[in-house]
Amino acid sequence: MAEIIHTSRITITRDRGPVRIAHIEGFSEPVFYGVHGGIQKFYKVDPIEEHAATLDHIVGAVSA
């Protein structure tokens, strides 16, 4: 059986509209998620401010 080397502990809360705030254990600054560009158009939302979407972070992590 493989040894567990890390367990991510993240709390995500909805702020307003599509904006979510992630607090990741070990980091003092939160990460904001939201919508922008084509994602904004697809969901037909008009956010107060644009943020990277969770999809952006997944693509970035996989391509690294």
Side-chain angles (χ1 to χ4, degrees), residues 4-5 8 16-17 20-21 23 26 32 35 38 42-43 53 56 58:
I4 297 172
I5 58 170
S8 294
R16 59 190 179 292
R20 287 151 294 153
I21 303 171
H23 294 273
F32 289 84
V35 295
F42 178 80
Y43 287 111
D56 296 314
I58 292 169

Side-chain angles (χ1 to χ4, degrees), residues 5-28:
I5 58 170
H6 179 74
T7 301
S8 294
R9 290 182 170 61
I10 304 170
T11 301
I12 299 177
T13 55
R14 183 174 298 277
D15 186 35
R16 59 190 179 292
V19 177
R20 287 151 294 153
I21 303 171
H23 294 273
I24 304 169
E25 185 180 87
F27 293 88
S28 61

Side-chain angles (χ1 to χ4, degrees), residues 15-16 18-19 32-36 40 46-52:
D15 186 35
R16 59 190 179 292
V19 177
F32 289 84
Y33 295 112
V35 295
H36 63 93
Q40 179 180 336
D46 190 20
I48 295 172
E49 56 188 45
E50 296 182 356
H51 293 284

